[in-house]
Amino acid sequence: MRWSNLTIDGDEQRQLPGYRDPAAIRRFDAPEALDMRFYEVHAKSVLNRVPERSQMPFRWTINPYRGCSHACAYCFARPTHTYLDFNAGRDFEREIVVKVNAPEVLRVELAKPSWKREHVALGTNTDPYQWVEGRYKLMQGIWEALRDAGNPCSVLTKSPLLLRDLPLMLEIAERASFSACLSIPTLDEKAWRSTEPHTPSPRARLEAVAELNRAGIPTGVLIAPLMPGINDAPHQVEPLMELAAQAGATSIGGIALHLRGEVRGVFMDWLRSQRPDLVERYEQLYRRGAYAPREERARLARMVRRGEGPGAFRLSLRGAKVEEEEREQPDLDFGSRLPLARQQTLF
């Protein structure tokens, strides 16, 4: 089996809600994975339908992993872990569910006569190229299945690990539409290390954008979330936009921070620990709900407006969500957007 070379301590098992069989719990002898547990499960389905009411420009997604070791303080996907009887805080970062049969199940689903070869988006919930993908390599089999089916698809990630699969992406692009997007909230090292501590370097992500575009894969940049007082200053955003343009980004977009459900508590706890000077400001900004006030989003949009005319890039700010119901157990996807080649804004 593809994971037979993994380091395993014991053969623990646990029953997860929504899964028929017990999950085998694995641990890795690697510094990056210390204190993490990986639950191998067999999914009944991996194609997840996005509700019709959603604003997303796609109707189907794939999430080979649940939970994410990136540990982003603001991650909109954190509430999905509560469906597995985990918490949205530390558990989301340390208890990672791995759908080990995702490539095989996907092949079966794509071969069904009822499948209409609709666009499939990856990375809309948790990152498919988070640390553990380097061990399980599920994305290679997923891309192969999509390639063989000639199915349109796209990916959103924070990791340059996706370059490993560039040959497969090029093969898909020969048969169907394909695009990529790198999420890069900031270049500011302090803001990066404190808000998304286990993600690859933002500059490495920009290099991946450039390499993908040079190879012919239309690739954009998502500057999200924009967090007042943390990564939204002109001296933080403008250099990032400039470097994204230099990397050939086919789209540059952004989303203002939104704090839905359990994310609010996790983020506010982080704020009290790391930026107590901003607690009162955020309590005011988000006192009426999950989204920043209209005037705050307008301020961000004015700040990042860059140039005029057909060649200009403009950062579009709004909150958005997808509520996705997976047949085996619900995953919720929020805030992703498809990058489309040569469009001026991401939305």
Side-chain angles (χ1 to χ4, degrees), residues 22-322:
I25 302 175
R26 313 297 188 191
R27 292 186 175 86
F28 299 94
D29 186 15
E32 300 92 335
L34 293 181
D35 299 325
M36 290 187 193
R37 291 188 293 187
F38 300 89
Y39 297 78
E40 292 181 357
V41 300
H42 288 80
K44 299 176 184 176
S45 173
V46 296
L47 280 170
N48 311 310
R49 181 186 286 275
V50 178
E52 293 296 329
R53 66 182 180 275
S54 164
Q55 303 174 30
M56 296 300 101
F58 47 81
R59 297 269 65 84
W60 298 91
T61 67
I62 297 173
N63 297 298
Y65 304 102
R66 299 186 67 167
C68 187
S69 58
H70 287 340
C72 302
Y74 51 75
C75 183
F76 53 77
R78 286 180 176 275
T80 66
H81 240 42
T82 62
Y83 289 100
L84 302 174
D85 287 346
F86 291 127
N87 66 56
R90 189 178 185 279
D91 286 355
F92 179 79
E93 306 164 7
R94 299 289 178 175
E95 312 288 340
I96 311 299
V97 177
V98 183
K99 300 174 185 177
V100 293
N101 63 336
E104 293 80 6
V105 172
L106 178 60
R107 279 192 178 275
V108 173
E109 293 183 308
L110 294 177
K112 290 180 178 179
S114 59
W115 177 247
K116 305 302 182 184
R117 295 180 65 250
E118 295 181 69
H119 187 102
V120 175
L122 290 102
T124 61
N125 190 25
T126 56
D127 199 319
Y129 284 102
Q130 60 180 285
W131 177 85
V132 74
E133 168 60 18
R135 298 297 181 99
Y136 281 88
K137 299 180 173 62
L138 295 180
M139 288 301 298
Q140 292 178 326
I142 288 171
W143 291 137
E144 288 168 354
L146 289 164
R147 175 202 62 195
D148 294 346
N151 207 94
C153 49
S154 62
V155 62
L156 171 66
T157 179
K158 291 179 181 287
S159 177
L161 177 59
L162 87 165
L163 292 174
R164 179 201 67 191
D165 298 334
L166 179 55
L168 286 168
M169 296 174 188
L170 291 170
E171 291 173 4
I172 294 172
E174 291 177 355
R175 304 188 61 184
S177 65
F178 183 86
S179 60
C181 189
L182 273 290
S183 173
I184 312 173
T186 187
L187 295 175
D188 185 292
E189 184 164 358
K190 184 176 180 180
W192 159 49
R193 291 187 181 278
S194 61
T195 59
E196 42 175 55
H198 301 144
T199 58
S201 160
R203 294 189 180 274
R205 290 178 244 175
L206 280 168
E207 292 170 6
V209 173
E211 185 168 344
L212 287 163
N213 280 307
R214 284 194 298 267
I217 299 296
T219 305
V221 169
L222 182 64
I223 305 175
L226 279 160
M227 299 168 280
I230 297 172
N231 70 333
D232 69 328
H235 73 270
Q236 294 171 309
V237 176
E238 290 171 3
L240 176 51
M241 293 186 68
E242 185 64 36
L243 288 174
Q246 291 177 18
T250 55
S251 62
I252 301 177
I255 302 174
L257 174 71
H258 53 279
L259 302 174
R260 295 182 61 83
E262 292 89 346
V263 181
R264 177 186 290 268
V266 173
F267 185 82
M268 292 304 294
D269 285 346
W270 174 87
L271 209 61
R272 294 183 189 97
S273 172
Q274 301 295 321
R275 292 297 306 272
D277 57 306
L278 293 175
V279 171
E280 184 176 354
R281 180 179 179 182
Y282 274 78
E283 287 175 343
Q284 285 297 312
L285 281 174
Y286 293 90
R287 68 186 184 280
R288 295 182 178 176
Y291 298 99
R294 184 184 300 273
E295 58 271 19
E296 178 66 11
R297 286 178 282 160
R299 178 189 70 82
L300 292 171
R302 287 193 301 270
M303 179 192 68
V304 298
R305 188 172 293 116
R306 178 179 178 271
E308 301 294 341
F313 281 113
R314 183 168 297 170
L315 198 62
S316 178
L317 277 298
R318 66 181 179 183
K321 68 172 181 173
V322 177

